Amino acid sequence: QALEVGYRMIDTAASYFNEREVGEAIRESGLPRESVFVTSKLWVQDYEYDDALRGFDRSLSELGLHYIDLYLLHKPYGNYYGVTSFSNERLQDLFLHNEIKPAVNQIETHPFQQQQDANAFLKAEGIVHEAWSPFAEGQKGVFVNPVLKDIAAAHGKSVAAVILRWLNQRGVIVIPKSVREDRIRENFNIFDFRLTDAEMAAIAALDEKKSPI
């Protein structure tokens, strides 16, 4: 349904146990493979080099694809490096001691945990900021927050659309999740309005700099 609506990026992972279904959906969509950007992630049990190669091949096989566009280590673990949920310090340690700098850091980012410092650091280092859990998993009444509701009403949009547009205007890549077709469509339709500077500032004021999840 998401591909039919117009989404062209899918985020999956070995630990989600749905790579096979993702691959089937891409094939059934009839879209050219190169038109869909596919991300998957290596789980922590496979962080040794040889295990990582096998884990990657396993994901390719499950997906039924010839390549993966973006491959992430799922989380920081032990003494191994990853590029999901990495602090600025841990990420800097990674690229100072390795030849290739990570392309993406996927971190929890939403109105209550805005990652302003991380965003500035990533931009300065040329690393893409990608947001997971943009709706804070529904915590702290995010969908009934009065500031977000007022902004949504002003634009005739949902609170979810406002959050996604706010992240988009910040230059943050976002991966919203829904199993309902109406919300999948709603989350996609964020390009026909723009938040004002005052509205962006009002949302910025919601930052608590900590995770409610």
Side-chain angles (χ1 to χ4, degrees):
Q1 290 173 338
L3 292 170
E4 288 174 357
V5 167
Y7 288 80
R8 291 296 180 267
M9 183 175 74
I10 299 177
D11 181 272
T12 184
S15 68
Y16 298 167
F17 301 107
N18 69 350
E19 289 174 309
R20 180 168 297 179
E21 289 80 4
V22 166
E24 289 174 354
I26 293 171
R27 287 188 292 278
E28 290 177 10
S29 74
L31 293 168
R33 167 64 186 93
E34 62 272 16
S35 71
V36 182
F37 191 96
V38 180
T39 298
S40 194
K41 310 179 191 75
L42 184 70
W43 188 237
V44 296
Q45 68 187 17
D46 294 324
Y47 278 11
E48 292 285 355
Y49 182 78
D50 289 339
D51 293 334
L53 294 177
R54 285 190 289 269
F56 180 78
D57 286 342
R58 189 164 52 247
S59 284
L60 272 183
S61 176
E62 287 291 302
L63 286 161
L65 302 177
H66 296 299
Y67 65 93
I68 296 172
D69 298 278
L70 176 64
Y71 198 54
L72 302 173
L73 301 186
H74 204 135
K75 59 188 295 187
Y77 179 73
N79 293 322
Y80 300 107
Y81 294 114
V83 288
T84 307
S85 303
F86 257 44
S87 66
N88 292 350
E89 294 77 15
R90 192 79 186 274
L91 190 58
Q92 187 175 47
D93 184 45
L94 167 60
F95 64 69
L96 287 178
H97 293 89
N98 290 275
E99 181 179 351
I100 299 174
K101 185 180 291 188
V104 174
N105 192 20
Q106 191 183 101
I107 52 179
E108 177 187 347
T109 313
H110 48 72
F112 307 125
Q113 172 74 310
Q114 299 188 13
Q115 304 283 10
Q116 299 283 359
D117 291 342
N119 183 264
F121 174 79
L122 294 172
K123 283 184 177 179
E125 297 296 339
I127 299 171
V128 174
H129 179 174
E130 187 171 52
W132 62 263
S133 194
F135 305 136
E137 295 187 1
Q139 298 298 307
K140 296 185 68 67
V142 66
F143 294 116
V144 293
N145 179 276
V147 172
L148 298 173
K149 283 185 67 177
D150 285 349
I151 295 172
H155 292 278
K157 292 288 184 177
S158 66
V159 166
V162 166
I163 293 171
L164 297 178
R165 183 61 183 168
W166 162 72
L167 286 164
N168 179 263
Q169 287 184 214
R170 288 181 62 199
V172 176
I173 292 178
V174 61
I175 43 175
K177 178 176 68 175
S178 180
V179 297
R180 288 177 45 178
E181 185 175 5
D182 58 336
R183 288 181 179 168
I184 288 171
R185 292 185 179 278
E186 182 180 274
N187 292 342
F188 188 76
N189 293 321
I190 65 167
F191 302 106
D192 57 354
F193 74 107
R194 184 172 182 84
L195 301 178
T196 66
D197 290 345
E199 290 168 337
M200 293 291 288
I203 298 174
L206 298 176
D207 193 6
E208 297 180 359
K209 301 184 185 299
K210 60 182 180 180
S211 172
I213 298 173

